[in-house]
Amino acid sequence: MMNYELLMMNIKSKQSKTLVFSLFFFLFSFFLNAQVKSSIDSTSIKIGEQITFKVEVETDTTNLVVFPEGQLFSPLEVIESYPIDTLKKTDKYSLVKKYGLTQFDSGKYTIPKQKIIIADKTFFTDSLQVEVFNVAVDTTKQGLYDIKPIIEVEKSSSDWWKTALIVLLIIAVIAALLYWFIWRKKPLTEAEQIALLPPYDRAKLALKKLDESHYLEHENLKDYYSDLTFIIRKYLDEKVYDRALESTTDELIDRLKILKQGNQVDLSNDDIKNLESILKRADLVKFAKSAPDVELAKLDRNTIDVEIDHVKEALPEPTEEEKLLDQQYREEQERKKKRRKIWLTAGIALFLLAATYVGFSLKYGFGYVKDTILGHDSKELLEGDWVNSEYGFPAVTISTPKVLKRVELPVPDELKANMQMTSFMYGTLLDEFSVLVNTTVLNQAPEGGIDVEQSIEGSFKALEAQGAKDIVTLKEKFTTPNGAEGIKTHGTLKADRLKTGNYEDLKYVMLFFASENVVQQIAITYPVDDVYADQTVERILNSIELKKGQE
């Protein structure tokens, strides 16, 4: 360290600076390499056991670290990738990433070097050796038992209840939000509570609030008189003259005199003179910047208080008809309010339904969402619980949306002695969707081998005998995923499925496999222009396997 400091202190030239920086970057690179460590918890396991591969990285908090993901540990298999553990140490992060690995064959294996990216630099872990041992089994202690008979297996329960629970939860959340924001009786604000008071009580309360103001303390007479006259004008507007707020002082006083002369308001001449005096004084304060004495302002306030009482006394008592009309008005307002809530709730619900439909449609397609909501037979088959099983002997392994049940197909009497035929089917050959697996074993192989073309021709005759017509045929070779070769015939036909005289277009696929004295046939019929049926048939065809020893 002393030598390094001395070197830095004695830098005198460009060449020495370059040397120092080269040394610095070399040491920095060495430090970064030392940040990556790898280890395993065991170097030997039994077949199928798990070992834990651990990578430790220590780096600055600003650096991005990328760990390996996927099957990059071959010949070992990754069975679990654990979340990254993070520990902060001052200005650095200590990151620990673990992987669960295993191997199902015995032998010695090497875990390859794994690439770790820190910032823009790449590092590699050490390769590690693992030995996998066989599991010793003492066959002398294993009990031997007769083969158990075939038993019915209950269909595994689906997760429909989870979907139903999620839907119910979403509906409950939406209902709770609608109740909280629309239907719930919300506590009234102070302004709403005041608005519900009768005009007389509101006027009296407004006078009390005026007393609590500080207008007179600050000699703010303009605002004081504005509020004072608004109180009396508002009360008169609601109870006497509905244009009192917008009328001038002269117009309002003239109107009060007319109402008095018409015996509609029993106000005295003194009451009208008092109101006229206060309103005109307020006009002078507001527009002529007059400044009356504060005590006069207080006297005017008390006068308005008295005049409000006199106006109330001067008003005639409402008749029963007026009370009824007022009650009907309030009830109508409540009905309108309730109707608004109903329309608002319906609108929100429709919007949410439409938004959900459009959202899922943009992601999955409009046709798929429509078929999910309204239901679609082919879609339900495609997305149901598929069954993978072997049928007949020699066995045909096939995956189908429904279990194929054994059926007895008619065999001419003259052929029964020379052959054995086993058939398994879902639906019928002329149903909208059907699957047939048929295996025929001849007691004696014919000379020259089995004529597949003759078997194909016989199948078409059987279809025609059941009412099929206009059969269009295409033929090609077909190879199963495990290498068994056969003949594939496919095309379209017309069938009167419902026996009503109306023929429907159907697609069909037939596969034929022949070897010595065995013919194996798979036949599928399905709707035309049905994307779900096409996917179902493709999945079935990709699942077919014939054991080579039995072909």
Side-chain angles (χ1 to χ4, degrees):
M1 187 66 185
M2 291 295 295
N3 291 336
Y4 181 79
E5 294 177 354
L6 183 60
L7 179 63
M8 292 296 293
M9 293 175 60
N10 292 320
I11 293 175
K12 298 297 184 180
S13 65
K14 182 177 180 181
Q15 181 179 4
S16 60
K17 288 182 180 180
T18 303
L19 177 62
V20 169
F21 281 113
S22 299
L23 177 61
F24 172 78
F25 285 115
F26 172 78
L27 292 174
F28 183 71
S29 176
F30 178 81
F31 177 72
L32 280 177
N33 280 322
Q35 288 180 333
V36 180
K37 298 178 182 179
S38 61
S39 61
I40 52 177
D41 60 349
S42 177
T43 58
S44 62
I45 60 171
K46 294 180 181 180
I47 289 177
E49 283 187 340
Q50 176 181 313
I51 60 171
T52 302
F53 179 81
K54 182 170 69 173
V55 181
E56 299 180 62
V57 174
E58 185 172 315
T59 184
D60 292 338
T61 57
T62 58
N63 289 337
L64 175 67
V65 179
V66 180
F67 291 96
E69 291 294 342
Q71 298 293 340
L72 302 177
F73 294 83
S74 180
L76 275 74
E77 297 181 20
V78 179
I79 57 177
E80 188 167 3
S81 177
Y82 297 96
I84 299 172
D85 291 332
T86 305
L87 179 63
K88 188 172 183 181
K89 299 179 179 179
T90 61
D91 60 341
K92 293 183 180 296
Y93 276 140
S94 177
L95 307 177
V96 178
K97 175 69 175 178
K98 295 181 181 180
Y99 303 87
L101 310 177
T102 192
Q103 175 56 254
F104 297 98
D105 290 324
S106 60
K108 294 183 179 180
Y109 300 93
T110 300
I111 300 176
K113 295 180 179 180
Q114 298 298 313
K115 182 170 70 174
I116 312 295
I117 300 175
I118 304 177
D120 57 348
K121 296 184 179 295
T122 301
F123 305 92
F124 292 90
T125 64
D126 294 332
S127 57
L128 301 171
Q129 297 289 329
V130 179
E131 188 169 3
V132 181
F133 295 99
N134 278 318
V135 178
V137 178
D138 188 356
T139 57
T140 62
K141 295 183 179 180
Q142 296 294 314
L144 301 178
Y145 307 94
D146 292 334
I147 297 175
K148 293 183 177 180
I150 297 175
I151 60 174
E152 292 288 338
V153 179
E154 293 184 2
K155 183 179 178 181
S156 58
S157 59
S158 62
D159 291 337
W160 65 268
W161 63 271
K162 292 183 180 178
T163 303
L165 186 62
I166 293 173
V167 171
L168 290 175
L169 182 61
I170 293 173
I171 293 174
V173 171
I174 294 174
L177 292 175
L178 290 175
Y179 168 77
W180 183 261
F181 290 105
I182 297 177
W183 291 96
R184 177 178 64 95
K185 290 186 177 180
K186 305 174 185 67
L188 298 178
T189 62
E190 183 180 1
E192 291 173 333
Q193 292 176 353
I194 293 174
L196 293 176
L197 294 174
Y200 175 80
D201 294 334
R202 270 190 278 121
K204 289 291 187 177
L205 181 62
L207 287 175
K208 290 182 180 179
K209 289 187 175 293
L210 182 63
D211 294 338
E212 296 171 359
S213 68
H214 300 283
Y215 292 147
L216 296 181
E217 295 177 14
H218 300 90
E219 297 186 356
N220 186 359
L221 296 174
K222 180 178 180 180
D223 289 340
Y224 184 84
Y225 271 98
S226 293
D227 288 356
L228 181 63
T229 54
F230 178 81
I231 293 171
I232 186 60
R233 281 177 175 270
K234 178 69 174 175
Y235 182 62
L236 292 173
D237 185 87
E238 293 179 315
K239 301 301 294 184
V240 179
Y241 176 44
D242 59 2
R243 299 186 64 182
L245 285 173
E246 58 193 70
S247 300
T248 64
T249 298
D250 291 337
E251 291 172 343
L252 178 58
I253 296 302
D254 290 342
R255 186 67 181 181
L256 292 177
K257 290 178 180 178
I258 293 172
L259 293 173
K260 172 180 172 56
Q261 292 172 1
N263 296 322
Q264 295 185 26
V265 178
D266 189 17
L267 282 174
S268 66
N269 292 327
D270 291 339
D271 291 329
I272 295 176
K273 288 181 180 179
N274 289 337
L275 290 174
E276 181 179 12
S277 175
I278 294 173
L279 291 174
K280 287 186 175 181
R281 188 161 32 251
D283 291 340
L284 291 175
V285 172
K286 288 187 289 183
F287 303 114
K289 297 184 179 179
S290 173
D293 188 78
V294 172
E295 293 301 324
L296 179 58
K298 291 180 180 179
L299 181 62
D300 287 341
R301 181 262 178 220
N302 294 332
T303 302
I304 291 294
D305 191 6
V306 173
E307 294 304 331
I308 289 174
D309 293 335
H310 289 176
V311 171
K312 181 184 178 184
E313 295 170 357
L315 292 173
E317 287 292 326
T319 64
E320 292 298 324
E321 183 178 356
E322 290 175 337
K323 292 180 180 179
L324 180 60
L325 290 174
D326 186 59
Q327 177 67 22
Q328 291 175 347
Y329 173 78
R330 287 197 297 269
E331 291 176 353
E332 180 62 24
Q333 291 301 110
E334 286 295 323
R335 284 194 293 269
K336 288 182 178 180
K337 188 175 181 181
K338 187 175 182 180
R339 281 198 296 269
R340 283 197 298 269
K341 289 182 177 180
I342 292 173
W343 281 110
L344 183 59
T345 302
I348 293 174
L350 289 175
F351 171 77
L352 291 174
L353 287 174
T356 303
Y357 177 78
V358 172
F360 279 107
S361 298
L362 291 176
K363 183 174 182 180
Y364 299 106
F366 285 92
Y368 181 85
V369 175
K370 175 180 69 67
D371 294 335
T372 301
I373 295 173
L374 301 180
H376 194 287
D377 293 339
S378 298
K379 182 176 180 294
E380 292 174 4
L381 283 175
L382 177 62
E383 297 180 351
D385 294 330
W386 283 54
V387 178
N388 188 67
S389 186
E390 293 182 353
Y391 298 96
F393 183 84
V396 176
T397 301
I398 187 172
S399 181
T400 55
K402 298 291 183 180
V403 176
L404 305 186
K405 296 182 179 180
R406 184 160 185 163
V407 295
E408 295 292 336
L409 297 182
V411 179
D413 294 335
E414 63 271 16
L415 298 178
K416 287 183 179 179
N418 298 322
M419 60 182 289
Q420 294 86 39
M421 185 170 68
T422 55
S423 303
F424 300 85
M425 180 179 287
Y426 168 74
T428 66
L429 285 177
L430 296 184
D431 274 345
E432 191 171 20
F433 188 88
S434 68
V435 182
L436 168 69
V437 176
N438 183 77
T439 302
T440 303
V441 181
L442 303 178
N443 295 338
Q444 203 171 25
E447 293 182 7
I450 294 176
D451 187 352
V452 177
E453 294 294 336
Q454 187 176 357
S455 299
I456 295 173
E457 187 65 27
S459 297
F460 287 136
K461 289 182 179 180
L463 286 174
E464 290 173 345
Q466 295 184 52
K469 68 177 186 178
D470 298 340
I471 301 176
V472 178
T473 302
L474 298 174
K475 190 183 300 182
E476 61 188 60
K477 289 185 178 180
F478 181 84
T479 304
T480 65
N482 68 333
E485 295 183 354
I487 300 296
K488 174 183 177 182
T489 61
H490 59 99
T492 60
L493 57 82
K494 291 183 180 295
D496 182 12
R497 296 191 304 108
L498 303 177
K499 305 300 181 184
T500 59
N502 295 321
Y503 283 82
E504 303 175 35
D505 290 326
L506 294 177
K507 286 184 178 181
Y508 73 90
V509 175
M510 292 186 186
L511 305 179
F512 296 88
F513 302 91
S515 62
E516 295 186 2
N517 64 330
V518 178
V519 178
Q520 293 163 297
Q521 176 190 6
I522 296 96
I524 307 171
T525 60
Y526 56 103
V528 298
D529 300 327
D530 190 327
V531 63
Y532 307 114
D534 293 339
Q535 294 176 24
T536 301
V537 172
E538 182 179 2
R539 181 172 172 181
I540 292 173
L541 296 180
N542 291 335
S543 71
I544 296 172
E545 291 187 1
L546 279 68
K547 294 183 179 179
K548 292 184 178 182
Q550 297 175 339
E551 294 175 356

